[in-house]
Amino acid sequence: MSAIGKIEKKTGSKFLSYYEMEAIHRDGSVSPYYMASRIGDPGKLKAVTHRNDPDGVILCGVYGEARDRIVLIRQYRYPIGGFVYELPAGLVEPGEDLLQSGTREMYEETGLTFRPIGSTRPFFMTVGMTDESCGTVFGYCSGEPTNCHQEASEEIQVLLADRAECRRILREENVALPCAYFLMHFLSAQGDPLAFLCEECLGD
């Protein structure tokens, strides 16, 4: 059975750390394995604790009385050297639960008021290179979008996208995978796109 030996932190910053792990393969051979994490203490990595506490939160916000638009952001991302369409998202701060984090992040990134109606447990993101996991919060948004609460390091445009715009985005634009899945769900939904929420769906 595969296993992990020693773990060495190579470098780190406030938001991300880089580790070399001793990967022990099922045939007994050993090789280095490199990963990134939001966790800065090697003793608290998910591979060590086997706890899946959420690092971040992703926000599926529906807008308008007719519930016929969804809240998207178009953000400049350095790893691709360009803009990508995403759902609003952010890191969970110490002491916050997912609903608190989601409400705060929605306001900071979009200026909108967020009324959460449900959330998922945390699920892993790109597990080939990171142990990052995120919960998803679903809810309804109101107010007028603005970018005046964003950090200076962020270049984010806020969009209230109807179904025609969502189809165009899926056909033509760079899109983050969680966003793409929610766009496809939105396009297939009849009526309120959050009507599907139930204990089975949310994993409670």
Side-chain angles (χ1 to χ4, degrees), residues 13-111:
S13 65
K14 179 180 177 181
F15 297 109
L16 198 63
S17 294
Y18 183 58
Y19 293 93
E20 180 180 328
M21 310 175 84
E22 183 181 45
I24 304 170
H25 305 295
R26 58 180 180 166
D27 63 358
S29 61
V30 177
S31 66
Y33 193 98
Y34 300 94
M35 61 162 285
S37 179
R38 298 290 188 182
I39 300 168
D41 181 346
K44 295 181 179 179
L45 290 172
K46 294 181 176 74
V48 176
T49 66
H50 301 287
R51 289 175 51 88
N52 184 14
D53 297 318
D55 302 290
V57 60
I58 299 171
L59 308 170
C60 295
V62 175
Y63 187 89
E65 289 186 11
R67 297 176 178 173
D68 58 353
R69 287 178 284 174
I70 58 175
V71 181
L72 302 178
I73 59 173
R74 180 176 180 265
Q75 182 166 198
Y76 186 90
R77 291 294 195 179
Y78 293 99
I80 64 170
F83 285 90
V84 61
Y85 284 78
E86 303 177 64
L87 297 171
L91 298 179
V92 177
E93 299 288 348
E96 285 185 331
D97 62 27
L98 285 175
L99 301 186
Q100 292 168 331
S101 178
T103 302
R104 175 184 55 77
E105 285 289 348
M106 181 67 82
Y107 182 73
E108 290 176 359
E109 291 200 346
T110 71

Side-chain angles (χ1 to χ4, degrees), residues 54-62 70-71 87-92 96-107 113-123 125 133-141 178 182 185 193-194 196-197 201-202 204:
D55 302 290
V57 60
I58 299 171
L59 308 170
C60 295
V62 175
I70 58 175
V71 181
L87 297 171
L91 298 179
V92 177
E96 285 185 331
D97 62 27
L98 285 175
L99 301 186
Q100 292 168 331
S101 178
T103 302
R104 175 184 55 77
E105 285 289 348
M106 181 67 82
Y107 182 73
T113 300
F114 187 50
R115 179 169 65 87
I117 63 169
S119 64
T120 68
R121 63 187 180 90
F123 295 110
M125 303 296 282
S133 67
C134 293
T136 303
V137 179
F138 303 87
Y140 301 109
C141 291
F182 191 59
H185 166 74
L194 300 186
F196 75 98
L197 294 176
C201 298
L202 298 176
D204 292 335

